[in-house]
Amino acid sequence: SMVLDGMADGLIVLDRQGRAVDLNPAAERVVGCSARQAMGRLAAELTQRWPALAALCEGKGSGTVEVTADDHSYDARLLPLRDRRGRPLGRLLILHDTSERKHAEARLLAQQRSLAALQERERLARELHDGLGQVLGYLNLQAEAIRDQLAQGQAGQAEQALARLAAIAQEAHADLRAYIHDARSARPGT
């Protein structure tokens, strides 16, 4: 009795008709009533806030179901209870609280999504630096060279250089638009 009362898992002992005959303190907390209040009540009634579990309890067999209510998750297992000769005595409902594991899984998933977003931002920054950053650096150098050509009275050479500069700027602009389009279409849900 001390072991059962000290268990973290909720235990509800059911008779052959599916009525509660005993609950440990953990089960009392889960179903929201004392063992005294639960005695004689059908397990389906005690677990009515979890329709899947109530349906399992209404049946005659055994099984497992996962249920969630009030920010708590439970792995519920219904097992047959038999005497030494194998005759059915009733069933045992075990309610294992998986809330912490579920919360940890949710945190891990959120961290994985954040990491994926960070990696995507890093990739974007690298590509922008490698592509657009270098083009802008080249354009700046060429603009300085053209300014020098104009200062030295080399207008013909400066005009040719400006034409090349305009073509490079247009090409970089087209590349940037294509990259933005690809980045938008690669996002989940778009």
Side-chain angles (χ1 to χ4, degrees):
S1 178
M2 287 177 57
V3 170
L4 295 179
D5 286 349
M7 289 184 69
D9 289 347
L11 300 174
I12 303 174
V13 179
L14 307 173
D15 64 13
R16 285 185 279 184
Q17 287 74 39
R19 293 182 306 244
V21 293
D22 196 12
L23 283 83
N24 72 347
E28 290 176 341
R29 288 188 295 276
V30 172
V31 298
C33 67
S34 68
R36 174 186 254 178
Q37 294 167 324
M39 293 301 171
R41 290 173 60 188
L42 291 172
E45 180 185 344
L46 294 172
T47 60
Q48 66 185 353
R49 66 178 167 165
W50 303 294
L53 180 55
L56 179 66
C57 291
E58 285 176 341
K60 296 296 179 194
S62 60
T64 303
V65 66
E66 187 175 307
V67 295
T68 302
D70 303 328
D71 201 33
H72 284 282
S73 299
Y74 299 93
D75 282 336
R77 175 177 270 180
L78 190 60
L79 302 170
L81 286 176
R82 302 187 184 280
D83 66 12
R84 292 177 191 207
R85 294 184 184 161
R87 294 181 296 207
L89 294 173
R91 295 182 291 172
L92 177 65
L93 178 58
I94 304 170
L95 301 164
H96 177 70
D97 191 342
T98 58
S99 303
E100 281 301 316
R101 180 177 53 101
K102 294 286 183 184
H103 293 309
E105 288 171 354
R107 286 190 302 269
L108 178 61
L109 183 59
Q111 288 173 345
Q112 288 172 337
R113 286 181 180 156
S114 294
L115 179 60
L118 179 62
Q119 289 171 335
E120 179 61 19
R121 283 193 294 271
E122 287 177 5
R123 184 187 66 78
L124 174 62
R126 239 185 345 269
E127 287 185 16
L128 286 175
H129 174 268
D130 292 350
L132 187 59
Q134 290 178 3
V135 169
L136 290 174
Y138 174 77
L139 291 175
N140 186 43
L141 287 174
Q142 291 302 309
E144 291 294 324
I146 292 169
R147 182 183 298 153
D148 289 344
Q149 288 172 342
L150 288 173
Q152 294 173 7
Q154 301 170 346
Q157 289 177 328
E159 191 172 321
Q160 289 175 352
L162 277 173
R164 282 193 314 269
L165 209 58
I168 290 170
Q170 288 172 349
E171 187 178 313
H173 183 249
D175 287 347
L176 180 61
R177 290 182 60 83
Y179 180 78
I180 290 170
H181 178 267
D182 291 345
R184 284 183 179 158
S185 63
R187 280 188 292 181
T190 57

